[in-house]
Amino acid sequence: MTDQSPITELHLFNSLTRQLEPFQPVHAGEARVYTCGPTVYNYPHIGNMRAYVFADVLGRTLSWRGYKLTHIINITDVGHLTDDADEGEDKMEKMAAEKAQSIWDIARHYTEAYWDDVKALNIRQPAKWSVATDYIEEMLQFAKSIADKHCYELESGLYFDVTTVDDYGRLARAVTEEGEGRIDTVEGKRNAADFAIWRKTPGGETRQMEWDSPWGKGAPGWHLECSVMGEKLLGFPFDIHTGGIDHREIHHPNEIAQNQAFCGCGGLSEATNSGAKIWMHNNFLVERSGKMSKSAGEFLRLQLLIDKGYHPLSYRMMCLQAHYRSELEFTWEGLTAALTRLKRMVMAAERLTESVKGAEQGQRLPPVEEFQHPKLAPSIAKFNEAMADDLNTAVAITALEDVLAAKKVDAAMKHAVVAYMDAVLGLDLLELQREDLRLRPKSAEIKEAEIEDALARRKAARAEKDFTTSDALRDELAARGVEVMDGDPLGWEWKL
Ligand code: AMP
Ligand code: ZN
């Protein structure tokens, strides 16, 4: 892959250096990415799914730019406590006890529910879903290799001493400097930030998930899992590690500390010691009331959106309209606007597909990047520059809309550009049908069928030059919150 100009060279924001950096792969022509996956103790909320939409767009962008992508997403089915540091109960055990089911059944159920959301949001399958409990042996090996130099044993487990590595928590400190947060103190350890890499089963107890180790029966710490699966499946250093912004504070600094220790003990160089070259973090989806949580009875799951009549890709659209590093507030009005925008684009794409079918067959087109068409080339450049600029999907969507709206352009060329752009955005524009996107919110003031009926009557009135009726229909719709759009560039007729 050779970049044509500095402006289209892919730049990504590295949380470790707090800078935009050009993407320079560790292995020529390849991109190796690790994404922290879900802890499968409950359904994911739509905030969690924002993290995977972001990782998917990153993966698609790397593939689109010609890199051979190896993307790993893990499934955490053991070791994650209710507090990201070392306090609280094991999330999986807690839910299993509440539901009176085995942890394994809980893990299977919620992993499948997560995969349903992944599919519905058009998130591509990674090269591997790595399940933490499949890597216990590798975790023990990793822990043994760093134990003497970096860890100490307490009654409750094996702890990592964070003062044994250079510059612990530089990822989190970057945050502290910005005043956004800091590592909390935890009692009972040599240092407040020390963390368990192996938690022993308390004497006299038996756990559903426990394994033998040199430190007694127990289970791995959550941070150890990601270090080990990243190293085993991608090799240190790999290119990019992703997760939600909360991971910048504890989980990722702890992973980095373990990776440094592992590389040091294995004789690897300084340059490889963070495990990954670039650490990327998506910002949170928040509700008006504040942080999104699963503790409330009805929390925001993708299925809830679907039950209310919203196509799941309208949520993907909502995510892509914001930059992944910006906080995004979820509102139903915002989701409705995203659905309307998606539908507007799908209808334009449908008309385009129809005209391509009718056009001359067998036409051979050059690669899209070489299109010199005066109407398409600027939009292609705008799209490429936006995506190269730390995945600016918000601007990239407008470039795609410009293409859909372009007049007097060969349909096959236009179709090729839409396919090229949507391969990165993953909105499924060329596959979705307008019927799939019918707005059916149970709570909506007005049903889409009513809007269409009124618009059809208005069209008939206008055809007969009965402008009194046509204006009255427009005013009626306006009174119910629907704006009629005459002359929209994509031919869309209304908006809520
Ligand atoms: P968990 O299953 O709790 O480990 O979280 C899965 C992923 O979702 C992690 O990458 C979290 O950082 C991320 N995450 C959690 N809450 C949100 C949110 N409200 N918005 C965006 N990402 C989130
Ligand atoms: Zn992780």
Side-chain angles (χ1 to χ4, degrees):
M1 166 89 228
T2 51
D3 287 312
Q4 301 295 308
S5 68
I7 205 148
T8 56
E9 190 179 7
L10 178 60
H11 281 74
L12 300 171
F13 186 83
N14 188 353
S15 303
L16 210 49
T17 57
R18 282 176 293 154
Q19 274 177 8
L20 277 179
E21 290 178 10
F23 177 71
Q24 282 156 353
V26 175
H27 303 271
E30 278 193 51
R32 301 187 186 184
V33 181
Y34 184 95
T35 293
C36 282
T39 305
V40 284
Y41 71 103
N42 204 338
Y43 296 107
H45 57 50
I46 55 171
N48 298 132
M49 296 313 295
R50 185 182 186 199
Y52 307 110
V53 169
F54 150 63
D56 180 56
V57 169
L58 171 67
R60 285 171 178 266
T61 303
L62 292 162
S63 300
W64 162 74
R65 295 189 68 97
Y67 296 108
K68 180 177 166 285
L69 175 71
T70 309
H71 193 175
I72 303 294
I73 306 180
N74 75 282
I75 303 287
T76 294
D77 56 352
V78 65
H80 194 170
L81 303 191
T82 45
D83 184 291
D84 280 357
D86 281 310
E87 285 178 316
E89 298 166 77
D90 182 295
K91 289 188 180 191
M92 302 291 300
E93 273 176 11
K94 186 166 176 249
M95 185 54 114
E98 266 171 44
K99 296 250 176 197
Q101 286 177 18
S102 82
I103 297 186
W104 303 98
D105 287 344
I106 293 285
R108 190 173 321 114
H109 177 76
Y110 292 114
T111 302
E112 279 166 13
Y114 164 68
W115 284 338
D116 286 345
D117 288 2
V118 161
K119 191 157 178 261
L121 288 169
N122 215 12
I123 292 168
R124 298 194 308 180
Q125 290 286 320
K128 191 173 175 70
W129 298 105
S130 61
V131 179
T133 48
D134 290 342
Y135 290 84
I136 301 293
E137 192 44 47
E138 289 83 350
M139 291 177 204
L140 286 168
Q141 292 307 327
F142 189 113
K144 277 187 221 165
S145 74
I146 60 172
D148 287 351
K149 224 172 132 192
H150 298 277
C151 304
Y152 58 95
E153 212 174 327
L154 292 179
E155 210 181 311
S156 57
L158 183 70
Y159 284 81
F160 191 97
D161 181 339
V162 298
T163 60
T164 62
V165 289
D166 281 346
D167 209 10
Y168 170 77
R170 58 200 152 119
L171 191 63
R173 262 206 300 280
V175 182
T176 308
E177 278 167 24
E178 287 163 7
E180 288 178 33
R182 74 151 82 91
I183 294 164
D184 288 327
T185 52
V186 182
E187 273 180 52
K189 300 167 194 169
R190 282 187 198 162
N191 311 289
D194 291 356
F195 55 93
I197 66 172
W198 188 265
R199 283 184 305 116
K200 292 189 218 173
T201 307
E205 280 185 26
T206 307
R207 287 208 164 125
Q208 285 188 48
M209 280 187 171
E210 59 180 10
W211 294 265
D212 287 326
S213 86
W215 314 284
K217 265 199 190 333
W222 170 46
H223 317 299
L224 182 66
E225 301 173 6
C226 286
S227 279
V228 171
M229 292 186 278
E231 194 278 324
K232 275 288 144 207
L233 296 166
L234 299 174
F236 286 161
F238 54 86
D239 296 296
I240 305 173
H241 194 310
T242 82
I245 199 163
D246 51 332
H247 289 348
R248 252 187 356 184
E249 317 258 336
I250 298 170
H251 183 46
H252 289 171
N254 291 355
E255 267 191 58
I256 289 173
Q258 294 168 150
N259 298 350
Q260 283 176 262
F262 181 81
C263 292
C265 293
L268 290 174
S269 79
E270 261 305 277
T272 62
N273 67 14
S274 293
K277 275 176 76 176
I278 300 183
W279 293 74
M280 294 177 75
H281 296 98
N282 63 278
N283 209 324
F284 265 24
L285 180 79
V286 295
E287 289 182 79
R288 207 159 270 171
S289 55
K291 204 177 161 209
M292 197 154 280
S293 117
K294 296 183 191 176
S295 46
E298 188 197 53
F299 66 83
L300 277 173
R301 282 177 58 195
L302 192 64
Q303 190 57 47
L304 183 71
L305 273 50
I306 297 168
D307 290 346
K308 286 187 189 280
Y310 292 90
H311 193 282
L313 290 178
S314 58
Y315 176 62
R316 185 177 174 105
M317 171 65 102
M318 189 180 196
C319 291
L320 300 188
Q321 288 181 149
H323 193 273
Y324 76 88
R325 283 198 284 127
S326 307
E327 195 171 270
L328 172 62
E329 183 180 290
F330 177 81
T331 60
W332 292 102
E333 297 77 29
L335 187 65
T336 303
L339 177 72
T340 308
R341 190 174 189 190
L342 180 61
K343 186 162 182 184
R344 179 172 173 261
M345 292 169 83
V346 163
M347 287 179 70
E350 267 182 14
R351 286 194 297 272
L352 181 59
T353 305
E354 279 306 306
S355 40
V356 174
K357 273 188 206 149
E360 203 185 318
Q361 299 292 315
Q363 189 186 350
R364 288 182 72 88
L365 295 171
V368 167
E369 304 228 24
E370 289 166 25
F371 284 8
Q372 296 300 324
H373 194 286
K375 287 203 178 133
L376 295 179
S379 303
I380 297 167
K382 176 175 163 189
F383 181 89
N384 291 350
E385 282 169 30
M387 290 311 296
D389 181 16
D390 197 27
L391 316 178
N392 194 340
T393 49
V395 171
I397 296 171
T398 65
L400 178 42
E401 282 173 325
D402 294 345
V403 172
L404 285 168
K407 300 263 181 302
K408 299 200 177 90
V409 178
D410 174 74
M413 277 180 107
K414 215 166 133 171
H415 194 268
V417 179
V418 172
Y420 164 91
M421 294 181 176
D422 200 37
V424 182
L425 297 174
L427 291 168
D428 241 359
L429 292 184
L430 296 170
E431 282 78 36
L432 278 174
Q433 312 279 312
R434 70 185 73 182
E435 277 308 303
D436 301 332
L437 294 165
R438 240 183 146 75
L439 184 66
R440 289 176 285 249
K442 290 188 193 104
S443 57
E445 291 285 310
I446 185 162
K447 299 275 180 286
E448 197 167 316
E450 287 179 74
I451 303 174
E452 277 167 13
D453 177 59
L455 287 174
R457 282 187 286 132
R458 182 170 177 265
K459 208 173 191 173
R462 279 160 72 96
E464 292 185 4
K465 304 214 171 344
D466 175 3
F467 297 113
T468 315
T469 306
S470 126
D471 287 352
L473 281 163
R474 190 186 53 207
D475 295 346
E476 250 175 57
L477 285 168
R480 300 184 70 187
V482 181
E483 186 189 333
V484 175
M485 295 172 60
D486 292 322
D488 173 67
L490 299 193
W492 181 246
E493 292 175 316
W494 57 269
K495 115 173 163 210
L496 281 174

